[in-house]
């Protein structure tokens, strides 16, 4: 009976994941279809064609990223991901992630502040550790937009562990949601949906899987990740790795 319950639970989780993934893909596909039908319906000005192509391009980027994230988690679920571990300096990875997101930060009028960037070497996979830092930093920028002015990234060496903190000035998160943040496609605001992009919209749009992937990466490196947050006081994502 226990085995049957476990199988049933796994099937339920898989079915929900498939349904959520289908929903996430359906929205950008619908936007692309609407834009294409609109421009084919009658002649338009050059500017209108450019705007339509820009929307299609942004939605294509969104779908490409979503599919990539889905593949990452699918391989992880099947145990097909092999980490290429080596001695890696976390400070270099933090700087690379900050540089990669500098344009997004500037667009959102947010300054990325780095501190504690002395050499801090851990045993890990450079590619996935970079993805971890990028996902967490991008999440901080996304939710700080229009509210906060700074996102701070701190590195600290503690006895037997390295600690990475990403601190934002966003709206904060109610305690009710904290245990679920790393679940796939979990929405703190269940009413929040993907809307039609505009010319001012960033080409980087979340897939709803970034924190889930971050959680998996940390676990694969034998580390821990936790969130400290409360409404109106921003959030602190803290990651620790063994030394």
């Amino acid at each position: 009976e226990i085995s049957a319950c476990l199988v049933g639970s796994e099937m339920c989780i898989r079915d929900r994941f498939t349904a959520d993934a289908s929903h996430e893909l359906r929205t950008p596909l619908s936007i692309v279809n609407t834009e294409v039908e609109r421009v084919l319906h009658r002649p338009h000005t050059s500017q209108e064609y450019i705007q339509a192509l820009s929307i299609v391009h942004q939605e294509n980027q969104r779908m490409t990223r979503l599919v990539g994230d889905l593949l990452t988690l699918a391989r992880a679920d099947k145990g097909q991901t092999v980490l290429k571990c080596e001695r890696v300096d976390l400070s270099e990875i933090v700087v690379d992630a900050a540089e990669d997101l500098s344009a997004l930060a500037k667009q959102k009028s947010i300054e990325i502040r780095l501190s504690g960037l002395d050499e801090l070497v851990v045993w890990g996979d450079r590619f996935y550790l970079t993805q971890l830092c990028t996902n967490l930093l991008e999440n901080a920028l996304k939710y700080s937009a229009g509210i906060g002015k700074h996102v701070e990234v701190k590195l600290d060496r503690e006895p037997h562990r390295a600690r990475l903190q990403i601190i934002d000035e966003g709206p904060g998160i109610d305690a009710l949601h904290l245990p679920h943040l790393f679940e796939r496609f979990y929405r703190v605001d269940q009413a929040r949906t993907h809307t039609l992009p505009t010319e001012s919209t960033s080409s980087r749009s979340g897939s709803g899987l970034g924190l889930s992937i971050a959680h998996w990466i940390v676990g694969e490196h034998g580390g821990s990740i936790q969130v400290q947050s409360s409404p109106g006081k921003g959030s602190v994502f803290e990651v620790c790795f063994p030394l």
Side-chain angles (χ1 to χ4, degrees):
E1 291 183 3
I2 295 177
S3 177
C5 288
L6 289 174
V7 171
S9 177
E10 289 177 358
M11 290 181 64
C12 181
I13 293 173
R14 185 171 64 248
D15 290 344
R16 178 183 173 186
F17 181 61
T18 301
D20 286 340
S22 299
H23 174 74
E24 292 292 324
L25 283 168
R26 187 181 300 116
T27 302
L29 283 170
S30 176
I31 292 174
V32 168
N33 187 60
T34 298
E35 283 301 301
V36 171
E37 288 183 347
R38 183 178 67 83
V39 297
L40 290 177
H41 183 67
R42 62 176 177 79
H44 292 270
T45 65
S46 297
Q47 184 58 40
E48 288 172 330
Y49 283 123
I50 291 173
Q51 182 179 4
L53 287 173
S54 176
I55 291 173
V56 170
H57 176 62
Q58 290 182 44
E59 293 306 308
N60 178 67
Q61 288 183 309
R62 173 178 166 80
M63 287 186 288
T64 298
R65 184 173 185 187
L66 175 57
V67 170
D69 287 347
L70 287 170
L71 287 173
T72 295
L73 289 172
R75 295 191 187 104
D77 289 344
K78 293 183 178 181
Q80 296 177 343
T81 303
V82 179
L83 300 187
K84 299 178 181 179
C85 291
E86 58 183 336
R87 287 173 56 83
V88 180
D89 185 355
L90 270 182
S91 63
E92 292 181 359
I93 288 176
V94 167
V95 170
D96 288 344
E99 289 180 349
D100 183 52
L101 293 172
S102 60
L104 178 63
K106 183 177 181 180
Q107 183 184 64
K108 295 181 179 297
S109 300
I110 296 175
E111 178 187 359
I112 300 176
R113 293 178 172 176
L114 308 179
S115 62
L117 294 183
D118 294 333
E119 183 181 66
L120 186 52
V121 177
V122 298
W123 185 255
D125 185 299
R126 180 179 296 274
F127 173 81
Y128 285 110
L129 288 177
T130 301
Q131 185 175 13
L132 164 69
C133 290
T134 300
N135 285 6
L136 293 178
L137 185 52
E138 185 176 12
N139 183 74
L141 292 172
K142 177 181 178 181
Y143 288 102
S144 295
I147 301 174
K149 296 297 183 182
H150 307 97
V151 167
E152 187 171 4
V153 185
K154 291 183 177 181
L155 271 179
D156 297 296
R157 181 189 300 273
E158 299 183 341
H160 310 299
R161 71 174 188 171
R163 183 177 67 168
L164 166 68
Q165 290 181 307
I166 297 183
I167 306 164
D168 68 55
E169 299 176 340
I173 306 166
D174 191 276
L176 174 69
H177 300 291
L178 293 179
H180 306 287
L181 283 185
F182 301 106
E183 295 176 7
R184 299 172 187 183
F185 296 116
Y186 184 77
R187 294 286 190 263
V188 171
D189 178 3
Q190 297 295 336
R192 179 163 56 87
T193 57
H194 179 57
T195 56
L196 187 68
T198 64
E199 292 181 0
S200 62
T201 300
S202 168
S203 61
R204 288 180 176 268
S205 182
S207 67
L209 296 173
L211 292 181
S212 295
I213 292 175
H215 185 269
W216 169 75
I217 292 172
V218 172
E220 287 295 298
H221 285 80
S224 63
I225 183 169
Q226 60 181 357
V227 187
Q228 299 175 6
S229 185
S230 58
K233 296 184 179 180
S235 302
V236 180
F237 282 78
E238 180 178 288
V239 178
C240 294
F241 295 111
L243 290 176

